[in-house]
Amino acid sequence: MEASFWHAKWEKSEIGFHQDDFNPLLLEHFGALSLPAGSRVLVPLCGKTRDILWLLESGYRVVGVELSRVAVDQLFADMELQPAISRTGPLTRFAVEDLDIYCGDIFDLTGSELGQIDAVYDRAALVALPVAMRQRYADHLAAVTGRARQLLIAYEYDQSLQEGPPFAVSADEIRHLYSPHYKPTLLASTEVAGGLRGKCPATEHVWQLQPA
């Protein structure tokens, strides 16, 4: 998707994809990554997700990347935090204790700027990208994190019945995208209650990606 698409969504508050509660699949399956307290977790295309708060309260340090400044400002406002703001190349860094958010294009983020990452939690990044961008994204994430383990949540449904995002990403595509760097393991599948946006049946798949 063009950056303008997401900027417009946030500026118009068209954020039906935002969840007000912690994602139950995160709560149920994040333990599969076996991360010790203090581990640093990357949340790509994070928006203002409350899952960041859950990760912090669970004893992890968190790094987020988000294109929209509106989303970043709302994230810190919701958490009642005042971040220190600095420029780092083409990105803007918002920092408080145990939390760093980089505002800008995720493809501009380098491994040296990002620093040590122990795991990635991808609930809304891969499924937000059209097919032409997904391999670049998967390769970039593996490169800048040093192939850190991942918990990945993806949707599967009949794409002809519903336009994305979120886009449908099949199991075969997951394996194709990540197999150069990871061994993908399907942890769970659950039907989306009421269908995706109430329009078509959909399944959420939870994947664990371990470095190959």
Side-chain angles (χ1 to χ4, degrees), residues 9 16 19 26 28 32 35 48 53 56 70 76 82 113 139 181 184 193 198 205:
K9 286 291 187 183
Q19 294 182 339
L26 167 68
E28 184 173 355
L35 291 176
K48 61 173 185 175
L53 179 60
L56 291 170
V70 173
F76 283 100
Q82 293 291 332
E113 175 60 42
D139 292 343
H181 313 292
H205 299 296

Side-chain angles (χ1 to χ4, degrees), residues 28-158:
E28 184 173 355
H29 298 288
F30 196 76
L33 298 183
S34 301
L35 291 176
S39 295
R40 201 157 178 254
V41 180
L42 174 65
V43 185
L45 281 59
C46 62
K48 61 173 185 175
T49 177
R50 285 181 53 78
D51 292 345
I52 287 175
L53 179 60
W54 183 87
L55 290 166
L56 291 170
E57 291 179 343
S58 298
Y60 301 109
R61 295 175 294 149
V62 180
V63 184
V65 187
E66 170 53 43
L67 183 64
S68 170
R69 174 67 183 261
V70 173
V72 175
D73 287 341
Q74 290 183 12
L75 169 67
F76 283 100
D78 290 348
M79 297 176 70
E80 299 183 345
L81 297 172
Q82 293 291 332
I85 303 174
S86 60
R87 290 291 295 181
T88 173
L91 302 172
T92 302
R93 178 173 176 253
F94 297 72
V96 296
E97 185 178 3
D98 294 333
L99 175 61
D100 297 292
I101 302 292
Y102 290 90
C103 184
D105 189 334
I106 192 171
F107 294 110
D108 289 331
L109 186 64
T110 66
S112 59
E113 175 60 42
L114 186 58
Q116 174 67 34
I117 294 295
D118 300 298
V120 177
Y121 168 54
D122 184 343
R123 181 193 73 82
L126 180 67
V127 297
L129 300 175
V131 62
M133 296 181 65
R134 292 176 200 158
Q135 190 65 68
R136 181 188 178 199
Y137 165 78
D139 292 343
H140 180 68
L141 214 59
V144 298
T145 67
R147 294 195 303 170
R149 70 195 81 172
Q150 297 192 36
L151 188 74
L152 168 68
I153 299 175
Y155 290 95
E156 192 163 10
Y157 63 92
D158 185 346

